[in-house]
């Protein structure tokens, strides 16, 4: 074995002591970085998968809310149609004025086209008499003359429909709603010779309806008939047919094979919208439901495609389908893993369609929306992120090895130089010794000190320590981020729950007075049905209540501002409390506007105060009348006896007669006090206000002629009211007419008008008398207040009490010297 020189030994030892720890450190650092990379990749995949699942679930919830909005719109349209006159022109106008656009495929299988036509929302509307015979029927915007007796289900379009019999037994205001009804479309009918639904442009499409029926009653609560709206099934398909969880987001027709599609099912588990029309619930030629696809379905049924899909029976395909149906019936949303009939594994988000009318009232759920994403597509974002992390890790690792290679080369070079500097002086001494041995005694040698390598070792130790420290900091930061995300989400959900459940309307305004958010109570108070994505100006948001907008100060309010505002709507006085609170968020400034509806509270306080005042006056009046009546009777009897004894003294007899007349007038006043104190209960029954008006006008017609008062009467032949006390209303009207006559002693004109308005009847009595001054106008309904020289001052107070007992209200306007006008509103419901 050859002997190594001292120079090589030093070189090898120095390289070994330097490079071996460096290589070990590099391997350890690579393993640590690999662990960190795997941890980051798993965390990123979990976070992105959670985000994708939440987004898919949120999209399902949004679509479910849109379906619920459409169903409520149909209910409202049905109520509106029930109020319209039953004639062809009105029904044709109603059919033409309710439409929505759809997105469909047309053309041929070889040359498909996309179109967005606008079609009628209701494929059929009809009015059916109480005997079940159709009185009027419009189909696809055309008046149909072939009318049917639909009390027999065999005469209906789908042979077994019972919408008339279901609706005719409902109470007033209730609605009967059917499930999706239509002829079943088989697999062969849809595909028409092609392989997949995506290719089937020329095949059959599903045609169906949802029936909305409501009974209509006459004024005497007899069944007048049943009004019917049939929602076209195409509009339900629009909610799910175009959804795609891919980057496209919306398509004209989804790909069933990929699993990236959405469908809708009803509360019984039947699928009612789907790319495969043979999966949708349907009827056979006899009008009976085609049985659902089950584990025991015959091969013939499967081959022919007569296998509509019901989630309750689909556990044999995947156990999560029945669980999704049960969760939706419980009002819950979520995300599950499923496999469809075609074998595609996918992630499926679901959300309930909350709706509590008709057959859906028991659970409060119309059905559910599902949006499916194929597993690979669902994990696409997470896998992309994982690939990016892997590429970054490899790039970092490659850079690290390049750095280590360069460091190794540097170490070898430095080791060589250090070894040479260490052995160089020895070689110089040997050469000098040899020179001296040869006789050169004056030989001089130059020896340089060896180079230190401590700084290189310190540099490597520093690098190893920094790598370890950075790894620990990265893991701690990841844990803090997870904890912060959870806390922020909990705090956000907590605040949102509080804001949405308070009864006070809350609006946030930016510095330009744009509404950036509002809670559910604010939408209810301001009659806002749809949510706006973009901020709206405050005046647009308060467009239904301009009085509230005018009450809010337009200048900047540095501190809290509050004000009570009253306004009139539909003959009703409303009271609101408005407050403004300054709001700042970073560099943005704005306000929080709260709107509190105090109408019921203020009305209750005013009503209680008046009732207490009237009760006190009633008790006082009854006590005074009782104590005065008995002595008056005794005095009257004594004066009557004295009158009979004064036959020989006519002068005294006349004085006694005058005293008896005054006592009689005083007894009349006592009787009025007793009548006011013991006002009988109101008996509210159906009646005709027009008859009561004409009877009362007849009583004072002679007085009109006597005082030269011209009467202008504008009263319909019939004014039916469901809840009225005819006798007490006559008394109230007579009091107003008597006051009008008293104000027109020298003649004048009197207008009496009555008409039906929204939710009630409005009565107006206007005279051209002497009028009432503004300072007295607020007191005229108070008991014992009168502007005439005679009278008790109870007439208008009794009138106010009678109108209030009917749930109505009375208003007065007067100009001194011009006349007075009384306006009375009597609501049908008996509510103010």
């Amino acid at each position: 074995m050859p002997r190594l020189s001292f120079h090589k030994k030093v070189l090898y030892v120095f390289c070994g002591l330097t490079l071996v720890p460096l290589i070990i450190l590099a391997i350890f650092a690579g393993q640590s970085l690999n662990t960190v990379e795997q941890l980051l990749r798993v965390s990123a995949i979990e976070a992105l998968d959670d985000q994708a699942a939440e987004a898919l679930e949120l999209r399902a919830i949004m679509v479910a809310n849109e379906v619920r909005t459409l169903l409520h719109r149909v209910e409202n349209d049905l109520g509106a149609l029930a109020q319209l006159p039953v004639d062809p022109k009105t029904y044709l106008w109603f059919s033409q004025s309710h439409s929505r656009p759809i997105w469909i495929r047309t053309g041929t299988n070889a040359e498909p086209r996309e179109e967005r036509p606008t079609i009628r929302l209701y494929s059929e509307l009809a009015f059916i008499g109480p005997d079940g015979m159709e009185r009027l029927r419009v189909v696809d915007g055309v008046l149909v003359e072939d009318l049917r007796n639909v009390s027999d289900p065999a005469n209906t379009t789908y042979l077994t429909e019972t919408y008339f019999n279901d609706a005719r037994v409902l109470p007033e205001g209730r609605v009967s709603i059917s499930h999706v009804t239509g002829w079943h479309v088989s697999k062969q009918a849809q595909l028409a010779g092609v392989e997949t639904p995506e290719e089937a442009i020329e095949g059959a499409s599903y045609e169906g309806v949802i029936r909305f029926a409501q009974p209509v009653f006459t004024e005497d609560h007899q069944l007048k008939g049943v009004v019917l709206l049939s929602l076209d099934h195409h509009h339900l398909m629009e909610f799910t047919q175009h959804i795609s969880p891919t980057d496209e987001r919306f398509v004209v027709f989804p790909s069933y094979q990929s699993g990236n599609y959405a469908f809708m099912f009803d509360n019984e588990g039947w699928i009612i919208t789907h790319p495969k029309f043979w999966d949708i619930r349907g009827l056979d030629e006899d009008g009976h439901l085609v049985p659902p696809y089950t584990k025991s379905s015959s091969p013939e049924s499967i081959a022919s495609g007569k296998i509509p899909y019901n989630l309750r029976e689909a556990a044999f395909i995947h156990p999560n389908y029945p669980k999704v149906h049960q969760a939706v019936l419980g009002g819950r949303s979520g995300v599950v893993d499923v496999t469809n009939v075609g074998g595609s594994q996918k992630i499926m988000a679901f959300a309930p369609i909350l709706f509590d009318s008709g057959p859906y009232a028991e659970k409060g759920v119309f059905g559910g929306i599902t949006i499916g994403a194929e597993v690979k597509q669902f994990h696409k974002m997470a896998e992309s992120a994982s690939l990016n992390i892997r590429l970054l890790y490899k790039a970092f690792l490659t850079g690290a090895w390049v750095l280590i290679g360069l460091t190794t080369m540097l170490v070898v070079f430095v080791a060589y130089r250090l070894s040479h500097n260490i052995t160089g002086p020895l070689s110089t001494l040997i050469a000098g010794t040899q020179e001296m041995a040869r006789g050169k005694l004056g030989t001089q040698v130059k020896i340089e000190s060896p180079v230190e390598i401590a700084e290189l070792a310190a540099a490597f130790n520093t690098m190893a320590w920094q790598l370890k420290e950075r790894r620990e900091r990265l893991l701690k930061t990841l844990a803090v981020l997870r904890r912060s995300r959870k806390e922020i989400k909990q705090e956000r959900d907590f605040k949102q729950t509080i804001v949405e459940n308070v009864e006070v309307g809350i609006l946030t305004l930016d510095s330009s007075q744009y509404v950036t958010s509002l809670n559910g109570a604010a939408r209810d108070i301001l009659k806002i049905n749809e949510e706006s994505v973009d901020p709206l100006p405050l005046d647009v948001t308060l467009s239904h209540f301009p009085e509230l907008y005018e009450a809010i100060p337009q200048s900047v309010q540095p501190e809290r501002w509050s004000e009570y505002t009253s306004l009139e709507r539909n003959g009703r006085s409303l009271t609101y409390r408005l407050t403004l609170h300054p709001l700042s968020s970073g560099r943005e400034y704005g306000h929080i506007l709260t709107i509190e509806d105090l109408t019921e509270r203020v009305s209750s306080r005013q009503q209680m105060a008046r009732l207490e005042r009237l009760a006190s006056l009633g008790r006082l009046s009854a006590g005074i009348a009782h104590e005065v009546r008995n002595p008056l009777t005794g005095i009257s009897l004594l004066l009557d006896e004295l009158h009979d004894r004064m036959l020989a003294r006519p002068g005294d007899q006349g004085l006694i007669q005058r005293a008896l007349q005054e006592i009689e007038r005083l007894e009349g006043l006592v009787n009025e006090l007793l009548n006011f104190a013991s006002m009988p209960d109101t008996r509210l029954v159906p009646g005709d206000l027009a008859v009561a008006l004409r009877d009362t006008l007849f009583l004072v017609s002679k007085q009109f002629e006597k005082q030269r008062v011209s009467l202008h009467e504008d009263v319909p032949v019939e004014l039916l009211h469901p809840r009225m006390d005819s006798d007490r209303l006559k008394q109230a009207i007579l009091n107003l007419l008597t006051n009008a006559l008293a104000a027109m002693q020298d003649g004048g004109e009197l207008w009496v008008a009555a008409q039906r308005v929204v939710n009630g009847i409005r009565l107006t009595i206007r005279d051209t008398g002497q009028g009432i001054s503004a300072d007295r106008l607020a007191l005229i309904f108070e008991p014992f207040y009168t502007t005439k020289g005679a009278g008790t001052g109870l007439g208008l107070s009794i009138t106010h009490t009678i109108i209030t007992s009917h749930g109505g209200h009375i208003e007065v306007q007067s100009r001194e010297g011009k006349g007075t006008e009384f306006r009375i509103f009597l609501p049908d419901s008996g509510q103010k």
Side-chain angles (χ1 to χ4, degrees):
M1 182 176 181
R3 295 180 61 184
L4 296 177
S5 65
F6 181 70
H7 172 67
K8 292 182 177 180
K9 287 182 181 179
V10 172
L11 177 62
Y12 292 156
V13 170
F14 186 84
C15 290
L17 292 176
T18 305
L19 294 179
V20 169
L22 181 62
I23 293 173
I24 293 174
L25 180 61
I27 294 174
F28 174 77
Q31 292 177 345
S32 300
L33 288 173
N34 183 56
T35 302
V36 173
E37 180 268 343
Q38 292 178 356
L39 181 61
L40 283 174
R41 235 172 2 101
V42 171
S43 300
I45 290 174
E46 290 178 353
L48 291 173
D49 282 351
D50 290 343
Q51 182 180 359
E54 290 177 2
L56 207 61
E57 180 180 355
L58 179 59
R59 193 174 184 187
I61 293 172
M62 293 173 63
V63 174
N65 289 336
E66 292 175 358
V67 176
R68 178 181 63 181
T69 300
L70 176 64
L71 295 175
H72 283 303
R73 174 188 170 182
V74 177
E75 271 194 304
N76 294 334
D77 287 349
L78 183 65
L81 184 60
Q83 301 296 323
L84 296 176
V86 183
D87 61 77
K89 183 177 179 181
T90 300
Y91 273 51
L92 287 172
W93 166 82
F94 191 93
S95 174
Q96 294 169 0
S97 61
H98 291 75
S99 60
R100 284 165 63 98
I102 62 173
W103 187 14
I104 59 174
R105 301 181 301 174
T106 59
T108 65
N109 294 343
E111 296 180 357
R113 298 193 308 272
E114 294 182 16
E115 294 184 2
R116 298 178 183 264
T118 298
I119 66 171
R120 290 177 176 84
L121 186 61
Y122 306 112
S123 59
E124 181 179 350
L125 57 156
F127 185 85
I128 307 165
D131 56 352
M133 193 67 188
E134 292 174 334
R135 301 291 193 267
L136 184 62
R137 181 171 175 232
V138 176
V139 178
D140 294 329
V142 178
L143 188 65
V144 177
E145 296 180 359
D146 183 18
L147 303 179
R148 310 166 298 180
N149 187 341
V150 295
S151 62
D152 183 1
N155 293 330
T156 60
T157 303
Y158 297 105
L159 306 179
T160 55
E161 297 181 275
T162 61
Y163 52 83
F164 171 75
N165 295 325
D166 294 339
R168 66 181 300 181
V169 298
L170 292 176
E172 190 170 359
R174 296 293 296 277
V175 178
S176 169
I177 305 175
S178 73
H179 287 86
V180 170
T181 306
W183 302 118
H184 183 260
V185 177
S186 66
K187 180 178 181 180
Q188 292 86 342
Q190 181 184 2
L191 296 181
V194 298
E195 294 296 326
T196 65
E198 294 89 332
E199 303 170 285
I201 310 297
E202 303 174 20
S205 63
Y206 186 89
E207 304 290 338
V209 295
I210 299 180
R211 308 283 194 188
F212 289 72
Q214 177 179 342
V216 181
F217 295 89
T218 61
E219 293 290 340
D220 55 355
H221 304 288
Q222 298 298 316
L223 180 64
K224 182 179 180 181
V226 172
V227 64
L228 172 71
L229 280 181
S230 301
L231 175 63
D232 195 329
H233 179 265
H234 288 92
H235 296 289
L236 283 184
M237 291 286 284
E238 282 298 291
F239 288 106
T240 60
Q241 195 77 327
H242 311 305
I243 293 177
S244 173
T246 64
D247 294 338
E248 292 180 275
R249 294 187 61 80
F250 295 102
V251 295
V252 65
F253 196 91
S255 170
Y256 172 76
Q257 298 298 328
S258 69
N260 297 318
Y261 62 89
F263 66 85
M264 187 188 310
F265 60 91
D266 63 18
N267 63 332
E268 296 179 349
W270 290 99
I271 286 181
I272 57 177
T273 68
H274 197 279
K276 293 195 308 180
F277 298 157
W278 64 85
D279 279 357
I280 302 175
R281 68 177 286 164
L283 307 177
D284 60 20
E285 58 272 16
D286 296 324
H288 300 115
L289 271 176
V290 176
Y293 183 27
T294 64
K295 190 175 183 179
S296 59
S297 294
S298 66
E300 293 79 11
S301 297
I302 297 174
S304 63
K306 294 183 177 180
I307 47 172
Y309 206 90
N310 191 306
L311 299 190
R312 294 183 301 182
E313 307 293 336
F316 71 99
I317 297 176
H318 198 285
N320 278 339
Y321 281 119
K323 294 178 181 178
V324 168
H325 177 249
Q326 289 299 319
V328 165
L329 289 183
R332 301 187 301 275
S333 60
V335 179
V336 295
D337 297 323
V338 295
T339 303
N340 66 7
V341 178
S344 296
Q345 294 182 349
K346 60 180 185 177
I347 304 297
M348 188 172 77
F350 61 91
I353 304 171
L354 303 179
F355 188 67
D356 57 357
S357 294
Y360 312 101
E362 180 180 356
K363 297 291 186 179
V365 174
F366 172 83
I369 293 291
T370 72
I371 301 177
E374 194 260 342
V375 172
K376 292 182 179 179
Q377 178 67 32
F378 180 79
H379 294 305
K380 182 178 179 181
M381 185 183 297
E383 290 175 354
S384 176
S386 174
L387 179 61
N388 289 335
I389 293 175
R390 170 63 68 177
L391 293 175
L392 290 173
Y393 166 72
K394 288 183 177 180
F396 175 82
L397 200 61
T398 300
W401 281 113
V402 169
L403 180 61
I404 291 174
L406 294 175
T407 304
T408 302
M409 294 172 63
L410 179 62
V411 167
V412 171
F413 174 76
V414 172
Y416 177 83
R417 293 297 300 170
L418 289 175
S419 174
H420 180 271
N421 290 336
I422 293 173
T423 59
L426 295 178
S427 299
T428 301
L429 288 174
I430 293 172
T433 303
Q434 291 175 348
E435 287 292 327
M436 290 178 69
R438 284 194 292 268
K440 295 180 179 181
L441 298 178
T443 301
Q444 299 291 317
V445 297
K446 294 181 179 179
I447 302 175
E448 298 178 358
S449 300
V451 179
E452 299 292 334
I453 61 172
E455 293 181 359
L456 182 61
F460 276 103
N461 291 334
T462 302
M463 182 182 68
W465 176 79
Q466 288 179 345
L467 287 174
K468 181 179 178 182
E469 184 183 33
R470 289 179 181 178
R471 177 178 179 274
E472 291 177 350
R473 281 190 299 183
L474 184 59
L475 292 175
K476 289 180 181 179
T477 302
L478 184 60
V480 170
L481 287 175
R482 285 180 173 176
R483 185 167 60 253
S484 299
R485 178 177 177 273
K486 182 178 180 181
E487 292 173 353
I488 291 172
K489 185 177 180 182
Q490 289 175 346
E491 182 179 0
R492 181 198 64 191
D493 294 342
F494 175 75
K495 291 180 178 178
Q496 184 176 2
T497 301
I498 292 177
V499 170
E500 285 297 328
N501 287 278
V502 297
E503 295 182 357
V504 178
I506 301 175
L507 300 87
T508 58
L509 311 177
D510 60 16
S511 57
S512 301
Q513 285 209 339
Y514 272 68
V515 178
T516 57
S517 67
L518 67 166
N519 65 350
R523 292 190 183 94
D524 294 339
I525 293 173
L526 301 177
K527 313 301 182 188
I528 298 175
N529 297 324
E530 299 182 357
E531 292 191 16
S532 175
V533 177
D534 299 321
L536 293 176
L538 182 59
D539 57 342
V540 175
T541 305
L542 300 178
S543 58
H544 295 296
F545 297 87
E547 297 91 342
L548 298 183
Y549 179 73
E550 293 173 0
I552 298 172
Q554 303 303 309
S555 59
V556 177
Q557 297 293 319
E559 297 182 354
R560 182 177 180 272
W561 169 87
S562 177
E563 184 172 314
Y564 292 85
T565 302
S566 298
L567 51 94
E568 293 287 332
R569 282 294 181 279
N570 298 324
R572 185 184 181 196
S573 179
L574 306 176
T575 302
Y576 296 96
R577 180 173 180 261
L578 307 176
T579 61
L580 271 177
H581 304 268
L583 173 67
S584 63
S585 176
R587 297 182 179 179
E588 297 294 329
Y589 294 93
H591 289 84
I592 295 177
L593 172 63
T594 64
I595 304 176
E596 186 175 2
D597 189 349
L598 302 177
T599 302
E600 296 299 331
R601 193 183 309 172
V602 171
S603 178
S604 298
R605 288 178 180 174
Q606 292 176 348
Q607 187 69 12
M608 289 299 297
R610 177 175 175 80
L611 290 176
E612 290 177 1
R613 187 165 63 253
L614 290 178
S616 300
L617 287 173
R619 289 192 296 270
L620 177 62
S621 300
I624 293 175
H626 180 73
E627 294 299 327
V628 172
R629 193 173 194 177
N630 290 336
L632 280 179
T633 302
I635 293 171
S636 179
L637 292 173
L638 291 174
L639 287 176
D640 191 54
E641 180 65 25
L642 185 60
H643 176 272
D644 293 341
R645 294 183 183 183
M646 293 291 183
L647 294 175
R649 300 167 63 180
D652 294 338
Q653 200 174 33
L655 293 175
I656 294 173
Q657 181 66 32
R658 292 287 298 275
L660 286 171
Q661 291 175 354
E662 291 301 315
I663 290 174
E664 184 177 354
R665 189 174 70 84
L666 190 56
E667 284 183 343
L669 176 60
V670 170
N671 288 334
E672 287 191 31
L673 289 174
L674 288 174
N675 289 335
F676 175 74
S678 58
M679 186 73 68
D681 293 335
T682 303
R683 295 179 295 104
L684 301 178
V685 297
D688 191 344
L689 184 61
V691 174
L693 274 171
R694 284 191 286 270
D695 290 346
T696 308
L697 289 171
F698 177 77
L699 292 177
V700 294
S701 59
K702 293 298 181 182
Q703 190 66 26
F704 287 161
E705 296 176 3
K706 183 178 179 181
Q707 292 187 206
R708 301 187 307 280
V709 174
S710 298
L711 174 64
H712 304 278
E713 179 182 348
D714 183 13
V715 180
V717 177
E718 185 179 69
L719 270 178
L720 299 180
H721 196 281
R723 303 175 75 256
M724 61 177 281
D725 188 331
S726 181
D727 292 336
R728 297 198 66 191
L729 285 177
K730 287 179 181 180
Q731 180 184 358
I733 296 169
L734 184 60
N735 287 340
L736 295 176
L737 295 177
T738 303
N739 284 353
L741 285 170
M744 296 185 291
Q745 294 293 332
D746 298 327
E749 293 184 277
L750 180 69
W751 285 266
V752 177
Q755 61 180 346
R756 173 160 289 283
V757 295
V758 178
N759 299 327
I761 295 175
R762 184 171 298 283
L763 172 63
T764 304
I765 298 176
R766 178 165 60 90
D767 63 54
T768 58
Q770 59 190 12
I772 305 171
S773 61
D775 56 334
R776 295 182 177 183
L777 201 59
L779 304 173
I780 62 173
F781 293 114
E782 294 298 324
F784 306 111
Y785 180 80
T786 178
T787 60
K788 298 179 288 186
T792 61
L794 295 175
L796 287 180
S797 179
I798 292 174
T799 298
H800 187 280
T801 301
I802 292 172
I803 299 304
T804 304
S805 66
H806 282 73
H809 59 266
I810 180 171
E811 300 173 348
V812 60
Q813 289 184 348
S814 183
R815 293 179 61 188
E816 197 166 8
K818 298 292 185 180
T820 304
E821 179 179 319
F822 287 90
R823 293 190 298 272
I824 297 173
F825 176 72
L826 298 175
D828 291 335
S829 61
Q831 299 295 325
K832 292 183 179 180

